[in-house]
Amino acid sequence: QVQVLESGGGLVQAGGSLRLSCAASGLTFTTYPVAWFRQTPGKERDFVAAISWDGGSTRYADSVKGRFTISRDNAKNTVYLQMNSLRPGDTAVYYCAARNGPAPTSTTWYRYDYWGQGTQVTVSS
């Protein structure tokens, strides 16, 4: 059974940092592109960042470029999202998603096959 589990969310003041982790069981991350999305109540799930299966390619939403960094450690079957200079507008539930490979990364949520349950990130002003 495939499970994707996010961790690392929490409450932080504006300007602070958090690192989210995404771990998988039941599948080997090494061949899967992985992305982070975020969602607030009543809104669609928005793309945040994505990384290719080998970590050689990354892409970011314009709103997080220069502040967030996605990375992966395939030996640990884990993907990370380092979030710096956080803003109240970054408040959301953050989801990790993996796409069946081989495939390129995508900014579209429905192209991903496996999802975690999400982790809450709250940035206070």
Side-chain angles (χ1 to χ4, degrees):
Q1 181 178 358
V2 175
Q3 287 190 320
V4 177
L5 182 63
E6 305 95 338
S7 62
L11 173 64
V12 65
Q13 289 189 331
S17 298
L18 284 173
R19 188 175 82 156
L20 305 183
S21 298
C22 173
S25 62
L27 62 84
T28 304
F29 253 175
T30 55
T31 60
Y32 290 74
V34 175
W36 289 93
F37 290 80
R38 65 187 182 186
Q39 189 170 25
T40 54
K43 294 189 176 181
E44 290 190 353
R45 197 163 292 190
D46 290 332
F47 171 75
V48 176
I51 190 166
S52 60
W53 67 272
D54 62 350
S57 175
T58 58
R59 54 199 307 187
Y60 297 92
D62 288 342
S63 59
V64 307
K65 278 181 183 176
R67 300 188 298 123
F68 291 11
T69 303
I70 189 170
S71 62
R72 66 191 303 158
D73 185 341
N74 283 343
K76 295 182 178 180
N77 227 26
T78 303
V79 172
Y80 304 98
L81 185 68
Q82 177 67 43
M83 306 187 295
N84 298 329
S85 302
L86 282 161
R87 306 166 179 168
D90 295 318
T91 295
V93 176
Y94 283 70
Y95 296 91
C96 175
R99 186 180 186 189
N100 278 325
T105 57
S106 174
T107 62
T108 308
W109 68 266
Y110 56 78
R111 295 195 182 278
Y112 289 83
D113 303 288
Y114 305 103
W115 289 83
Q117 292 189 328
T119 185
Q120 176 71 46
V121 171
T122 303
V123 184
S124 63
S125 57

